[in-house]
Every structure is written in structure tokens, then in C-alpha cells.
Amino acid sequence: MPLTTEEIILDHGFPGTHRAVTVHRFGPARTDAAPRPKAYIQAALHADEIPGLLVAQHLLARLKAADAEGRVRGDIILVPYANPIGLSQAVLGTAIGRFALSSGVNFNRDFPDLAAPVADQVLGRLGPDAAANVALVRRAALAAIAAWETATEADSLRKILMGLAIDADLVLDLHCDSEALIHAYTGTESWPDATDVMADLGCRAVFLALESGGNPFDEACSGLWWRLRNRLTAGLSGGVPPLPAACLAATIELRGRRDVDDALAGTDADALVRVLTRRGLLAGDAGEQPVPACQATPLAGVDRVRAPVAGVVLYTVALGDTVTVGQTVAEVVDPVTGIRHPARARAPGIVWARAEQRYTAAGAIITSIAGDRPLAEEGSGLLTAR
Ligand SMILES: [Zn+2]
């Protein structure tokens, strides 16, 4: 059984209602500080991205089994549904889990950037010992989160999730795309450290950025470390105390919305167990690390192919196809004239996502290609749907 299973209530709910997140924590029984390493895994922060909800249940069963066998070595937190607000949203029978209906805000944006408050706390207190510096920064980050005075239920949720994850060594945020291959987003500084994670999961595309724009959850956790270092470096004239990027965080996109079945979820949960084993959180043999299924590419290199007109989408490429510049990836049929308008690739690379809907608005993204050269500026809103 988990060491603890806890319900944390969100603040700022409506009268007569409350929402909660369930938090399972595994680790060796302890009386002093929590063990290391620490891993934090959450599912469905975008609440209508269902594969992670099922993977979390498969993972939970595997963690319980590992715990019963006494194989848990580190501190493992599993949040099986990260967004009770989104899970309750629907419009005319369609689940709406990506944006808060009350505000239009994307649930995976606007996490706090803690670099400034943490810098204020640690300035002048960092020394030559990297491990001591990491511990100091983690305490300061937890204190900064605890001091955050939220005003909305969605920010209360962000505060709870960040409070659980910000001091972790490994943070995995389970999402999915519309129709997609399994892929992931992580920090440029987390590469190649994250290679084993992506290889174990079999990711077919991995996107790197330091600033995606909008401060999603994974970047709020990992980006603290490089933003803080930049901030401290700017204020120092002499030598800079050692401060490694001590949190590997990644958004894992578990294929498309409809890729929900026990076989896939079991495969993904097995992969996560291998990751936790390889990284010392579980005792056992993770086996040989698989050969990565792809090279990492810059998030700024993603070609988001947009529909030239509104109409019916007919794809001319499949997920996993490799395309060349100028290749038609879809035709959009104008239902008034019957004219077929080609949508073409701007970058060469693998097709890793397509829009599930077969009717599109003009200008909407219908296909995504993993180009290996930047098409956009870092920090310029590299993620879709702010
Ligand atoms: Zn998502």
C-alpha cells in the first residue's frame, strides 16, 4: 500500500462545493527527511487527455506490488488525476479539460516562475558544495510556493501541484495530443540526461526548449534551475557557485485522445517502472536501455501546418511518415466550391501529430512535423493554444 494516500482540498471553490486532488506517496518508512531521489508523476492536468488517467492506475498497481516486495527506494508521488476542475467541465456533452471554462485560461500555463523569490532567499548563501546548494534552493522553492497567496481555484490547484513537485529530481506530466505518436517536451538543459526516459517510453519525437512561452508545469519545475542560475550569474562578478539543473521535468504525450486501452496503458506503466528503476527509485533490474527511437529536435523547429481554408480535411500523410519541404500533408476540401486546397510542409521531418477533427477552420493547425531547424523564436509561444 502507499505510505500515505491524501486528499488535498482546493481553495476558492464555490459555496457548498469542494474539489480535491488525491495524492499517493510511496517510499521507505521514515522518521527523518524524505529519501532521495524523489519522483513526481501526475496525469491529465489537461483533464480531457484521458490516456494518462488509465496509465496512472496501471502504474499505481505496479507501485503497490513493488512496495509489497519492499522494492521502493526513493520518494515517489503519484497524482492520478491532476485537475478536478477540468474533470467536471463539459459543454453540451463534450468534455472541456484543457481550458478553464470560467476564464478561458489553459490549465497548463501560468505556473509561477520562482526564480526571483528563490534568488532573493539564496543570494549570498550558496557555497562550493553543489549538493548543499541544491538542498538550499529546494527549501527556498518550497517556501516560495507556500507563501503564494492565490485568489482563484485554478491557481490553488497550481499551488498544490507545484508544492508537491518543485523539489523532485524527476517530474513527469502525462498528457496526450489529438492524434499522435508518443512524444515528449523537455528542457534543453535536461538533454541528454533525459535520454533514458524517452528511450524507455519509446518516444518517437522529443522537443527541447528553454522557454516554451506561457510557463507550463514541467518548465516551471525544471526551468527554475537555469533561470535562477542566469539571475545569480548576472549579479556576480567573480566565480559562480555550482548549481546543477537538479530537476528533470518532462511533459509526456501519450499518443492521441482515443489511444485509451489496457494494453497501451500497461506498456506505458511498464516503461515508467523501468524509468523509476533505472533512476534508483525502485530496486530491481531495468534491463538494458533501449536505443532511442528518435533524435531530440528543437521545439522551435516544429512545423505547425495550418489549414489554408475552412473545410473537410483529407490527410495525405500518416503519423510516422517522413515528409519533405513542400510536400502536401493534407487537402482541405472547400464544401462550397469543391476545390481541394493543399496544405504543405515547411520543414522536413516526421509527422508526429494530426488534428482528430476532419472539419477545420481556416488557419487552424492540422498537422505537426518535427523539423530539426528553428522556424520560430524561443519564448515566442512555441506551444499551441495558450
Ligand atoms: Zn495536454
PDB file of all heavy atoms in Angstrom, residues 119-139:
ATOM      1  N   ALA A 119      15.868  33.460  -5.738  1.00  0.00           N
ATOM      2  CA  ALA A 119      17.137  34.205  -5.788  1.00  0.00           C
ATOM      3  C   ALA A 119      17.252  35.139  -4.577  1.00  0.00           C
ATOM      4  O   ALA A 119      18.323  35.248  -3.964  1.00  0.00           O
ATOM      5  CB  ALA A 119      17.228  34.995  -7.094  1.00  0.00           C
ATOM      6  N   ASP A 120      16.157  35.778  -4.236  1.00  0.00           N
ATOM      7  CA  ASP A 120      16.184  36.672  -3.070  1.00  0.00           C
ATOM      8  C   ASP A 120      16.580  35.923  -1.797  1.00  0.00           C
ATOM      9  O   ASP A 120      17.272  36.457  -0.933  1.00  0.00           O
ATOM     10  CB  ASP A 120      14.800  37.313  -2.856  1.00  0.00           C
ATOM     11  CG  ASP A 120      14.490  38.353  -3.919  1.00  0.00           C
ATOM     12  OD1 ASP A 120      15.433  38.764  -4.632  1.00  0.00           O
ATOM     13  OD2 ASP A 120      13.312  38.738  -4.043  1.00  0.00           O
ATOM     14  N   GLN A 121      16.107  34.670  -1.705  1.00  0.00           N
ATOM     15  CA  GLN A 121      16.372  33.904  -0.483  1.00  0.00           C
ATOM     16  C   GLN A 121      17.780  33.322  -0.437  1.00  0.00           C
ATOM     17  O   GLN A 121      18.335  33.146   0.646  1.00  0.00           O
ATOM     18  CB  GLN A 121      15.372  32.753  -0.355  1.00  0.00           C
ATOM     19  CG  GLN A 121      13.970  33.205   0.019  1.00  0.00           C
ATOM     20  CD  GLN A 121      13.099  31.997   0.365  1.00  0.00           C
ATOM     21  OE1 GLN A 121      13.432  31.211   1.251  1.00  0.00           O
ATOM     22  NE2 GLN A 121      11.992  31.847  -0.333  1.00  0.00           N
ATOM     23  N   VAL A 122      18.344  32.973  -1.598  1.00  0.00           N
ATOM     24  CA  VAL A 122      19.621  32.238  -1.561  1.00  0.00           C
ATOM     25  C   VAL A 122      20.834  33.103  -1.883  1.00  0.00           C
ATOM     26  O   VAL A 122      21.965  32.648  -1.722  1.00  0.00           O
ATOM     27  CB  VAL A 122      19.600  31.020  -2.518  1.00  0.00           C
ATOM     28  CG1 VAL A 122      18.421  30.105  -2.203  1.00  0.00           C
ATOM     29  CG2 VAL A 122      19.594  31.452  -3.981  1.00  0.00           C
ATOM     30  N   LEU A 123      20.588  34.322  -2.331  1.00  0.00           N
ATOM     31  CA  LEU A 123      21.702  35.188  -2.718  1.00  0.00           C
ATOM     32  C   LEU A 123      22.685  35.340  -1.555  1.00  0.00           C
ATOM     33  O   LEU A 123      22.287  35.666  -0.430  1.00  0.00           O
ATOM     34  CB  LEU A 123      21.171  36.562  -3.143  1.00  0.00           C
ATOM     35  CG  LEU A 123      22.147  37.439  -3.919  1.00  0.00           C
ATOM     36  CD1 LEU A 123      22.564  36.768  -5.223  1.00  0.00           C
ATOM     37  CD2 LEU A 123      21.535  38.803  -4.207  1.00  0.00           C
ATOM     38  N   GLY A 124      23.945  35.071  -1.806  1.00  0.00           N
ATOM     39  CA  GLY A 124      24.975  35.194  -0.779  1.00  0.00           C
ATOM     40  C   GLY A 124      25.080  33.989   0.137  1.00  0.00           C
ATOM     41  O   GLY A 124      25.918  33.947   1.040  1.00  0.00           O
ATOM     42  N   ARG A 125      24.216  32.997  -0.050  1.00  0.00           N
ATOM     43  CA  ARG A 125      24.221  31.830   0.850  1.00  0.00           C
ATOM     44  C   ARG A 125      24.698  30.561   0.144  1.00  0.00           C
ATOM     45  O   ARG A 125      24.759  29.508   0.750  1.00  0.00           O
ATOM     46  CB  ARG A 125      22.830  31.610   1.430  1.00  0.00           C
ATOM     47  CG  ARG A 125      22.339  32.789   2.275  1.00  0.00           C
ATOM     48  CD  ARG A 125      20.875  32.627   2.650  1.00  0.00           C
ATOM     49  NE  ARG A 125      20.622  31.427   3.433  1.00  0.00           N
ATOM     50  CZ  ARG A 125      19.435  30.847   3.568  1.00  0.00           C
ATOM     51  NH1 ARG A 125      18.389  31.369   2.943  1.00  0.00           N
ATOM     52  NH2 ARG A 125      19.291  29.767   4.293  1.00  0.00           N
ATOM     53  N   LEU A 126      24.982  30.664  -1.162  1.00  0.00           N
ATOM     54  CA  LEU A 126      25.451  29.492  -1.900  1.00  0.00           C
ATOM     55  C   LEU A 126      26.964  29.363  -1.727  1.00  0.00           C
ATOM     56  O   LEU A 126      27.677  30.370  -1.676  1.00  0.00           O
ATOM     57  CB  LEU A 126      25.109  29.614  -3.387  1.00  0.00           C
ATOM     58  CG  LEU A 126      23.617  29.675  -3.726  1.00  0.00           C
ATOM     59  CD1 LEU A 126      23.410  30.016  -5.194  1.00  0.00           C
ATOM     60  CD2 LEU A 126      22.925  28.366  -3.379  1.00  0.00           C
ATOM     61  N   GLY A 127      27.430  28.098  -1.599  1.00  0.00           N
ATOM     62  CA  GLY A 127      28.861  27.865  -1.392  1.00  0.00           C
ATOM     63  C   GLY A 127      29.447  26.931  -2.431  1.00  0.00           C
ATOM     64  O   GLY A 127      28.841  26.707  -3.482  1.00  0.00           O
ATOM     65  N   PRO A 128      30.601  26.357  -2.121  1.00  0.00           N
ATOM     66  CA  PRO A 128      31.281  25.487  -3.107  1.00  0.00           C
ATOM     67  C   PRO A 128      30.667  24.089  -3.218  1.00  0.00           C
ATOM     68  O   PRO A 128      30.998  23.349  -4.136  1.00  0.00           O
ATOM     69  CB  PRO A 128      32.714  25.401  -2.554  1.00  0.00           C
ATOM     70  CG  PRO A 128      32.565  25.653  -1.081  1.00  0.00           C
ATOM     71  CD  PRO A 128      31.415  26.584  -0.918  1.00  0.00           C
ATOM     72  N   ASP A 129      29.760  23.721  -2.291  1.00  0.00           N
ATOM     73  CA  ASP A 129      29.194  22.372  -2.274  1.00  0.00           C
ATOM     74  C   ASP A 129      27.892  22.349  -3.087  1.00  0.00           C
ATOM     75  O   ASP A 129      26.875  22.901  -2.659  1.00  0.00           O
ATOM     76  CB  ASP A 129      28.943  21.969  -0.811  1.00  0.00           C
ATOM     77  CG  ASP A 129      28.366  20.565  -0.687  1.00  0.00           C
ATOM     78  OD1 ASP A 129      27.914  19.997  -1.718  1.00  0.00           O
ATOM     79  OD2 ASP A 129      28.360  20.039   0.439  1.00  0.00           O
ATOM     80  N   ALA A 130      27.940  21.693  -4.268  1.00  0.00           N
ATOM     81  CA  ALA A 130      26.773  21.696  -5.156  1.00  0.00           C
ATOM     82  C   ALA A 130      25.555  21.062  -4.485  1.00  0.00           C
ATOM     83  O   ALA A 130      24.433  21.564  -4.608  1.00  0.00           O
ATOM     84  CB  ALA A 130      27.110  20.955  -6.453  1.00  0.00           C
ATOM     85  N   ALA A 131      25.779  19.960  -3.765  1.00  0.00           N
ATOM     86  CA  ALA A 131      24.645  19.273  -3.132  1.00  0.00           C
ATOM     87  C   ALA A 131      23.988  20.169  -2.079  1.00  0.00           C
ATOM     88  O   ALA A 131      22.755  20.207  -1.955  1.00  0.00           O
ATOM     89  CB  ALA A 131      25.117  17.963  -2.506  1.00  0.00           C
ATOM     90  N   ALA A 132      24.812  20.888  -1.325  1.00  0.00           N
ATOM     91  CA  ALA A 132      24.256  21.800  -0.312  1.00  0.00           C
ATOM     92  C   ALA A 132      23.490  22.935  -0.986  1.00  0.00           C
ATOM     93  O   ALA A 132      22.439  23.367  -0.499  1.00  0.00           O
ATOM     94  CB  ALA A 132      25.390  22.360   0.558  1.00  0.00           C
ATOM     95  N   ASN A 133      24.002  23.405  -2.128  1.00  0.00           N
ATOM     96  CA  ASN A 133      23.307  24.465  -2.864  1.00  0.00           C
ATOM     97  C   ASN A 133      21.942  23.981  -3.363  1.00  0.00           C
ATOM     98  O   ASN A 133      20.944  24.704  -3.279  1.00  0.00           O
ATOM     99  CB  ASN A 133      24.149  24.929  -4.047  1.00  0.00           C
ATOM    100  CG  ASN A 133      25.399  25.666  -3.607  1.00  0.00           C
ATOM    101  OD1 ASN A 133      25.488  26.121  -2.458  1.00  0.00           O
ATOM    102  ND2 ASN A 133      26.371  25.758  -4.505  1.00  0.00           N
ATOM    103  N   VAL A 134      21.927  22.764  -3.886  1.00  0.00           N
ATOM    104  CA  VAL A 134      20.663  22.203  -4.385  1.00  0.00           C
ATOM    105  C   VAL A 134      19.650  22.105  -3.239  1.00  0.00           C
ATOM    106  O   VAL A 134      18.482  22.477  -3.389  1.00  0.00           O
ATOM    107  CB  VAL A 134      20.905  20.816  -5.038  1.00  0.00           C
ATOM    108  CG1 VAL A 134      19.594  20.076  -5.274  1.00  0.00           C
ATOM    109  CG2 VAL A 134      21.668  20.982  -6.354  1.00  0.00           C
ATOM    110  N   ALA A 135      20.096  21.617  -2.107  1.00  0.00           N
ATOM    111  CA  ALA A 135      19.184  21.479  -0.959  1.00  0.00           C
ATOM    112  C   ALA A 135      18.658  22.843  -0.520  1.00  0.00           C
ATOM    113  O   ALA A 135      17.463  22.988  -0.199  1.00  0.00           O
ATOM    114  CB  ALA A 135      19.909  20.783   0.197  1.00  0.00           C
ATOM    115  N   LEU A 136      19.532  23.836  -0.520  1.00  0.00           N
ATOM    116  CA  LEU A 136      19.122  25.187  -0.116  1.00  0.00           C
ATOM    117  C   LEU A 136      18.080  25.744  -1.082  1.00  0.00           C
ATOM    118  O   LEU A 136      17.058  26.321  -0.667  1.00  0.00           O
ATOM    119  CB  LEU A 136      20.353  26.103  -0.078  1.00  0.00           C
ATOM    120  CG  LEU A 136      20.114  27.566   0.300  1.00  0.00           C
ATOM    121  CD1 LEU A 136      19.659  27.668   1.751  1.00  0.00           C
ATOM    122  CD2 LEU A 136      21.384  28.399   0.090  1.00  0.00           C
ATOM    123  N   VAL A 137      18.325  25.561  -2.378  1.00  0.00           N
ATOM    124  CA  VAL A 137      17.393  26.071  -3.395  1.00  0.00           C
ATOM    125  C   VAL A 137      16.038  25.356  -3.269  1.00  0.00           C
ATOM    126  O   VAL A 137      14.977  25.981  -3.375  1.00  0.00           O
ATOM    127  CB  VAL A 137      17.982  25.907  -4.805  1.00  0.00           C
ATOM    128  CG1 VAL A 137      16.923  26.131  -5.873  1.00  0.00           C
ATOM    129  CG2 VAL A 137      19.149  26.863  -4.999  1.00  0.00           C
ATOM    130  N   ARG A 138      16.074  24.067  -3.036  1.00  0.00           N
ATOM    131  CA  ARG A 138      14.806  23.330  -2.896  1.00  0.00           C
ATOM    132  C   ARG A 138      14.001  23.842  -1.693  1.00  0.00           C
ATOM    133  O   ARG A 138      12.779  24.005  -1.790  1.00  0.00           O
ATOM    134  CB  ARG A 138      15.082  21.830  -2.765  1.00  0.00           C
ATOM    135  CG  ARG A 138      15.457  21.203  -4.105  1.00  0.00           C
ATOM    136  CD  ARG A 138      15.726  19.713  -3.950  1.00  0.00           C
ATOM    137  NE  ARG A 138      15.885  19.092  -5.266  1.00  0.00           N
ATOM    138  CZ  ARG A 138      16.660  18.063  -5.517  1.00  0.00           C
ATOM    139  NH1 ARG A 138      17.362  17.502  -4.534  1.00  0.00           N
ATOM    140  NH2 ARG A 138      16.728  17.552  -6.732  1.00  0.00           N
ATOM    141  N   ARG A 139      14.680  24.096  -0.590  1.00  0.00           N
ATOM    142  CA  ARG A 139      13.956  24.620   0.585  1.00  0.00           C
ATOM    143  C   ARG A 139      13.374  25.993   0.270  1.00  0.00           C
ATOM    144  O   ARG A 139      12.236  26.304   0.635  1.00  0.00           O
ATOM    145  CB  ARG A 139      14.900  24.701   1.798  1.00  0.00           C
ATOM    146  CG  ARG A 139      15.180  23.356   2.453  1.00  0.00           C
ATOM    147  CD  ARG A 139      15.783  23.537   3.857  1.00  0.00           C
ATOM    148  NE  ARG A 139      17.039  24.280   3.844  1.00  0.00           N
ATOM    149  CZ  ARG A 139      18.236  23.731   3.608  1.00  0.00           C
ATOM    150  NH1 ARG A 139      18.335  22.439   3.380  1.00  0.00           N
ATOM    151  NH2 ARG A 139      19.331  24.475   3.628  1.00  0.00           N
TER     152      ARG A 139
END
